[in-house]
Amino acid sequence: MQKKIVSIVGARPNFMKIAPIHRAFQKVDTSKYVNTILHTGQHYDAKMSDAFFADLDMPTPSYFLGVGSGSHAVQTAKTMIELEKVFIEDRPDLVLVPGDVNSTLAATIVATKMGIPVGHIESGLRSFDRTMPEELNRIATDVLSDILFVTEQSGLDNLIKEGIDSSKVHFVGNTMIDSLHYALPKADTKSTLEQLGLTKKAFGLITIHRPSNVDEPQQLEMILKVLQKLSESIVVVFPIHPRTRKNIELFGLQNYVENTNQFKLIDPQGYVDFLNLMRYSTFVMTDSGGIQEETTALQVPCVTIRTTTERPSTVDIGTNILIDPNYDTMISTVLPIVDGKIKQGAIPPKWDGNASERVVEIVTTFLQN
Ligand code: UD1
C-alpha cells in the first residue's frame, strides 16, 4: 500500500528545508511513497511565502490552513486545531517537520498524540537560551519525534546528552544547503544586483527580526544607528522583515531608514534574489539562524548579532562570528571586515547538497519496518 508522508511548512525558513526533500521523494517509487506539502499559513505575505515556492520549484501545497499571526499560544493552538482535522480526514503514515517555528511544534504535538510518527528535520540544535521561543520549540519537538535528522555534530552531541535513544538519531547533513546548491544556477540567471544598483562585494547585507533585537524601542534604535554609521563606509542593503517594519513604524524610527545611495531599505526578497545578495555581499550582519549556515556554505563573512548560536559549526568551522548586539561591538567588528580583514572558513561535514536523499532513504526504510 502507498505510504503517505506529509511535510509541514509554515514560516519562511521552512520552505528551503522541505523543497529538496519533496524533490528527492519524486525519485523513489511513487507508487509506494507519496510526499505532500501542508502549509499552515504562519507566514502569509506573498514575499514571505509564495515567492519561495516559485523559486524552489515547490508544488502548490495540498493543504493550506491559513492560520496567520497571533500570540504564540494563539498561533500554535490554531495550527493544532486545523491540523488535527486534516490528519483525521487524511491520516498520514509519517509527518515531517522542519526547524523550530511554531508550526513545527504544533504539528509535532498533534501527530504524536494521534500516534503518527514524526521526523524532525534539523534536530538537536540548541542555543541554551530558553528566552528564545525557537529553543522551546526545538526541545519539545525533539523529545516527541521518532526520527531525528541532524545537520551538524553539535546536534548529535546535544541529543545524546539529553538522553534521546541514539538509534533514532541520524546525521544526514543540511537540507537547507541542498536548496542552496539547487538554486545557484538560477541565481546566475538573475540580475538582482543590477536592479538594485549594487556592485559585487561592495555592500553589506543586513537582516534583523528576532524579538530580542526588534521588539524593544531602544534596542531597535541602537541597531538602526549602527546601520547609519556603517553606511558612511559601505552601501548597506536592508531587506526588512514585516515584524521589524511594523516596529519601526510603531516606535517612530522611520527617519533612520530613509533611502539614500548608501542605504537601501528593500522588501523581503525571494530566495534566489536573496541568494545573490548573500553571495556577492562583503559581509552579512544578521540575527537569523539559517543565514549563519548559508553564509558559511557560501564562505561569506557573517556577523551574528546574538550572544548564542544553536549552530556552533558555523563559528567553529565556518565564517560566522557571534557578537553582543551593542553599538561599539557591532561597529568595531564590522569596519575591519569592510577593510578586508575577514575570517576564512570551511564547509561543515555533509553540507554537500545530498542531505535530502539521505533523509528520504531513512524515511522509506522506517516505513518499511
Ligand atoms: C518566525 C519564527 C522564527 C523565524 C522567522 C523567519 C516562530 C516562533 N518564529 O518569526 O523562528 O526565524 O519566522 O521569518 O515561529 N507578519 C507579516 N506577514 C507575514 C508573517 C508575519 O506581516 O507573512 C508579521 C505579523 O505581524 C506577525 C509578525 O510579523 O505578528 C511576526 O510573525 P511570526 O510568524 O509570529 O514570527 P516571525 O517573527 O516571523
Side-chain angles (χ1 to χ4, degrees):
M1 218 176 60
Q2 194 187 43
K3 302 279 189 185
K4 287 190 285 191
I5 298 111
V6 174
S7 293
I8 309 292
V9 294
R12 188 167 61 173
N14 295 156
F15 307 130
M16 39 288 211
K17 292 170 194 167
I18 289 296
I21 295 175
H22 183 75
R23 230 180 349 267
F25 269 116
Q26 311 306 306
K27 295 187 199 145
V28 297
D29 187 347
T30 45
S31 67
K32 287 193 180 149
Y33 305 98
V34 61
N35 178 63
T36 51
I37 311 265
L38 183 152
H39 191 334
T40 66
Q42 175 173 344
H43 281 175
Y44 44 89
D45 285 358
K47 291 194 165 92
M48 298 294 285
S49 178
D50 305 6
F52 288 79
F53 278 77
D55 277 359
L56 294 161
D57 298 321
M58 267 169 106
T60 306
S62 304
Y63 311 91
F64 184 77
L65 307 184
V67 298
S69 299
S71 69
H72 286 276
V74 167
Q75 193 173 56
T76 310
K78 266 194 187 168
T79 310
M80 289 175 66
I81 291 166
E82 296 307 317
L83 267 175
E84 190 181 49
K85 292 180 196 160
V86 173
F87 291 170
I88 287 172
E89 199 177 302
D90 194 9
R91 191 184 171 90
D93 295 289
L94 185 131
V95 172
L96 284 178
V97 296
D100 55 17
V101 302
N102 288 340
S103 302
T104 310
L105 175 64
T108 304
I109 296 174
V110 173
T112 51
K113 284 208 167 181
M114 293 178 72
I116 301 166
V118 168
H120 184 203
I121 308 295
E122 195 189 81
S123 181
L125 298 182
R126 297 288 181 268
S127 65
F128 302 101
D129 174 1
R130 289 199 180 196
T131 65
M132 285 178 78
E134 294 81 3
E135 181 75 351
L136 305 175
N137 292 344
R138 290 181 200 116
I139 294 168
T141 301
D142 283 339
V143 164
L144 295 174
S145 292
D146 300 274
I147 320 179
L148 298 98
F149 297 104
V150 169
T151 53
E152 63 163 73
Q153 183 62 42
S154 75
L156 273 183
D157 300 342
N158 293 332
L159 293 173
I160 301 309
K161 264 187 232 150
E162 288 172 19
I164 304 274
D165 178 351
S166 63
S167 66
K168 294 184 185 175
V169 182
H170 302 272
F171 184 11
V172 290
N174 197 326
T175 66
M176 195 178 217
I177 304 306
D178 297 359
S179 279
L180 188 141
H181 284 250
Y182 177 78
L184 278 173
K186 272 195 183 192
D188 284 338
T189 67
K190 286 197 99 172
S191 50
T192 315
L193 267 53
E194 290 80 344
Q195 280 175 14
L196 292 167
L198 298 169
T199 307
K200 278 184 190 175
K201 295 290 171 190
F203 63 93
L205 178 64
I206 317 294
T207 81
I208 41 163
H209 74 279
R210 294 259 160 235
S212 60
N213 282 328
V214 305
D215 284 2
E216 284 290 322
Q218 279 178 344
Q219 181 69 7
L220 182 55
E221 185 173 16
M222 181 279 291
I223 293 173
L224 298 179
K225 279 185 182 162
V226 170
L227 303 189
Q228 288 282 315
K229 178 73 185 162
L230 292 177
S231 71
E232 291 169 13
S233 304
I234 188 163
V235 172
V236 166
V237 181
F238 185 17
I240 192 161
H241 186 285
R243 172 192 282 277
T244 311
R245 185 186 282 281
K246 279 180 191 164
N247 285 348
I248 286 176
E249 284 160 18
L250 187 69
F251 306 149
L253 301 173
Q254 295 92 328
N255 56 317
Y256 290 103
V257 291
E258 272 157 27
N259 268 307
T260 64
N261 284 342
Q262 287 288 107
F263 187 91
K264 294 179 193 292
L265 182 79
I266 57 175
D267 280 336
Q269 298 292 290
Y271 182 69
V272 173
D273 284 318
F274 192 74
L275 187 50
N276 272 335
L277 289 176
M278 271 193 294
R279 69 170 163 159
Y280 293 131
S281 63
T282 304
F283 69 90
V284 178
M285 189 163 80
T286 189
D287 60 9
S288 150
I291 292 170
Q292 298 173 53
E293 296 182 337
E294 289 165 337
T295 46
T296 275
L298 293 165
Q299 303 193 290
V300 167
C302 181
V303 176
T304 299
I305 48 171
R306 286 172 47 189
T307 50
T308 58
T309 181
E310 60 288 334
R311 294 161 160 90
S313 73
T314 61
V315 175
D316 301 340
I317 303 174
T319 54
N320 191 20
I321 305 170
L322 292 188
I323 59 162
D324 252 337
N326 69 57
Y327 186 90
D328 290 340
T329 314
M330 288 163 79
I331 298 289
S332 67
T333 306
V334 173
L335 286 183
I337 299 175
V338 174
D339 288 337
K341 294 191 191 69
I342 62 167
K343 177 188 176 196
Q344 301 293 337
I347 313 286
K350 299 200 187 182
W351 290 21
D352 56 3
N354 301 317
S356 300
E357 270 79 23
R358 295 192 274 268
V359 168
V360 167
E361 167 88 44
I362 292 160
V363 168
T364 52
T365 308
F366 178 91
L367 287 174
Q368 276 161 22
N369 297 328

